[in-house]
Amino acid sequence: MLHVDIPSIAAIRELADIQSPGCVSIYVPTGTTRDDAAQARIELKNARDEAVAILKDTELERGRLGLITDALDDLIDDENFWSYQARSLAVFVDGDHLTSFRLPNELSSRVDVSDRFLLKPLLRTVTFAQTAFVLALSQNAARLVEIVPDTAAETITVPDLPTDAASHVGKSSIKDRAPVRRLQGSEGQKVRLRQYARGVDQALRPLLTGSGIPLILASTQPLDGIYRSVNSYSGLAPQSIEGNPDELSDQQLAEAARPILDEIYAGQVQAFNDRFATFTSQGRAITDLSDIARAATAGAVDVIAFDIDAVVNGTVDEQGAITVEDTDTADNYGVVDEIIRRAVRADAGVLAVRAADLPAQTPAAALLRYTL
């Protein structure tokens, strides 16, 4: 099982709020095997050395440089941490804090040193990671299957997850005819199934809450509808995997979940583009990067969609004016990255997409809260 800890939007917003000299962002591919993890540790050491060399050139105060180095060394030396990895590792350190996330995406190696963190690669994971949980739910069994890109699906252990409906409600069978508050037969069965579904939902809350990971239900009626009626997780997909989940392997569930994940992503993109068309007639949809930069600085962006591969070297000043540069340096943190950071700080929605999914051939498109 991959050990994934995808950041919440709130966690990304906290990182976006940090702006001070010596912000180091490191992205390292980690793979899924022990040998991969060993190689990743070496790569993180090299990234540390590269970051320290850049920081020395910026004349960062020695004490702060020492704190950054110590924090990275502690992470590199943490044997337990390296025993549990996903496909990529993102590390953010500034001398006051070190925050790391183990991600299901295969991200390229990168070291960035600036007065703010590089968050754009992280946002693809948050908005659409091709990662999901499948809840295989029947009267006879409940299991949670984790799906991550390019890796075999696997059932994961969930503390206090009910094993079946009958044992959860303390019966030998939910089909017995003993009354449940004067309810018998099919009505009594539905009451017991609802209790069972509520127990499953409660067991999943600690794992799912705040994760943003889609939950796909594999069940049959009436349990499918009953679970949806008590579900408390906003990330439950509207589509279900059909058929008896007890007869499907973890990998078969994963294969059935992929089209549903694709539909979720396509729905997000289509919803944005539909809103973009509506907002255009109201003067509240923009694609020019300079306009988006000013709107993000003013806190006027409601939702921003951006090309995950777009790179525009340069800076954005305090009023939102863009200066484009030819090279990437510690003082030149990337225009698109900074626009996104400002949008996130102002609680804007963020959608990381491919270029073909944007409504125009620009690095980003934004919907505004009001006209500027």
Side-chain angles (χ1 to χ4, degrees):
M1 182 184 71
L2 300 190
H3 192 97
V4 175
D5 39 23
I6 295 176
S8 64
I9 289 295
I12 293 178
R13 190 173 296 119
E14 289 180 6
L15 291 171
D17 283 337
I18 296 173
Q19 187 171 353
S20 63
C23 288
V24 178
S25 308
I26 299 174
Y27 292 89
V28 175
T30 54
T32 58
T33 68
R34 187 179 298 274
D35 289 342
D36 290 336
Q39 181 59 41
R41 290 177 80 171
I42 294 172
E43 191 158 348
L44 183 57
K45 291 178 184 177
N46 294 336
R48 173 204 59 197
D49 294 342
E50 181 180 345
V52 168
I54 295 172
L55 289 169
K56 287 180 177 178
D57 288 341
T58 62
E59 299 182 352
L60 186 72
E61 61 180 79
R62 186 177 298 275
R64 196 163 187 81
L65 177 58
L67 291 171
I68 292 171
T69 304
D70 290 345
L72 288 170
D73 287 344
D74 287 344
L75 185 64
I76 292 168
D77 294 337
D78 189 337
E79 295 291 342
N80 185 64
F81 175 82
W82 290 100
S83 296
Y84 302 94
Q85 290 300 313
R87 305 191 72 84
S88 298
L89 174 66
V91 180
F92 306 95
V93 57
D94 66 349
D96 294 322
H97 314 88
L98 183 146
T99 303
S100 65
F101 300 105
R102 287 164 283 201
L103 308 172
N105 307 62
E106 288 188 0
L107 300 178
S108 301
S109 297
R110 178 156 184 179
V111 179
D112 189 271
V113 178
S114 183
D115 64 347
R116 62 208 74 190
F117 291 123
L118 175 67
L119 302 178
K120 189 175 75 171
L122 200 62
L123 288 165
R124 178 67 179 179
T125 301
V126 175
T127 56
F128 192 66
Q130 278 288 356
T131 299
F133 290 116
V134 173
L135 173 60
L137 187 64
S138 72
Q139 295 182 23
N140 301 318
R143 75 187 196 269
L144 190 69
V145 178
E146 184 181 45
I147 300 173
V148 293
D150 305 320
T151 302
E154 187 172 1
T155 296
I156 63 174
T157 300
V158 179
D160 301 321
L161 183 67
T163 57
D164 62 87
S167 63
H168 181 72
V169 298
K171 299 287 183 181
S172 59
S173 170
I174 65 167
K175 295 181 180 180
D176 66 46
R177 302 190 62 79
V180 180
R181 294 188 180 179
R182 300 179 183 175
L183 296 177
Q184 301 185 52
S186 62
E187 283 189 279
Q189 289 179 34
K190 287 183 179 179
V191 169
R192 290 164 179 153
L193 286 176
R194 188 170 292 108
Q195 293 170 346
Y196 170 51
R198 190 174 292 110
V200 171
D201 176 69
Q202 291 173 350
L204 294 180
R205 283 181 195 173
L207 177 67
L208 296 178
T209 301
S211 71
I213 299 175
L215 176 66
I216 299 172
L217 183 60
S219 189
T220 58
Q221 296 297 352
L223 191 51
D224 184 292
I226 289 172
Y227 184 81
R228 291 183 180 280
S229 73
V230 301
N231 167 66
S232 62
Y233 181 54
S234 61
L236 179 64
Q239 309 96 321
S240 296
I241 296 173
E242 297 180 355
N244 182 357
D246 296 345
E247 299 175 354
L248 300 175
S249 68
D250 289 355
Q251 198 56 39
Q252 287 173 320
L253 289 170
E255 291 168 1
R258 292 296 178 196
I260 295 176
L261 277 174
D262 290 341
E263 287 184 33
I264 292 172
Y265 174 66
Q268 290 175 336
V269 172
Q270 187 60 52
F272 177 85
N273 287 330
D274 289 347
R275 289 187 69 197
F276 190 89
T278 301
F279 277 45
T280 296
S281 64
Q282 302 170 0
R284 294 167 55 198
I286 54 178
T287 57
D288 181 82
L289 210 56
S290 296
D291 293 340
I292 297 174
R294 286 192 290 271
T297 302
V301 173
D302 181 37
V303 182
I304 181 170
F306 68 94
D307 176 5
I308 189 65
D309 298 317
V311 177
V312 180
N313 293 321
T315 58
V316 184
D317 71 14
E318 293 182 0
Q319 286 72 45
I322 291 175
T323 300
V324 177
E325 304 287 350
D326 294 330
T327 57
D328 184 7
T329 68
D331 297 323
N332 166 9
Y333 39 74
V335 170
V336 177
D337 308 88
E338 177 59 13
I339 290 173
I340 295 165
R341 190 183 75 89
R342 295 186 186 193
V344 168
R345 292 184 68 186
D347 295 331
V350 178
L351 189 62
V353 300
R354 300 301 182 190
D357 294 325
L358 287 167
Q361 293 183 338
T362 58
L367 308 178
L368 303 183
R369 292 170 174 148
Y370 48 84
T371 57
L372 293 177

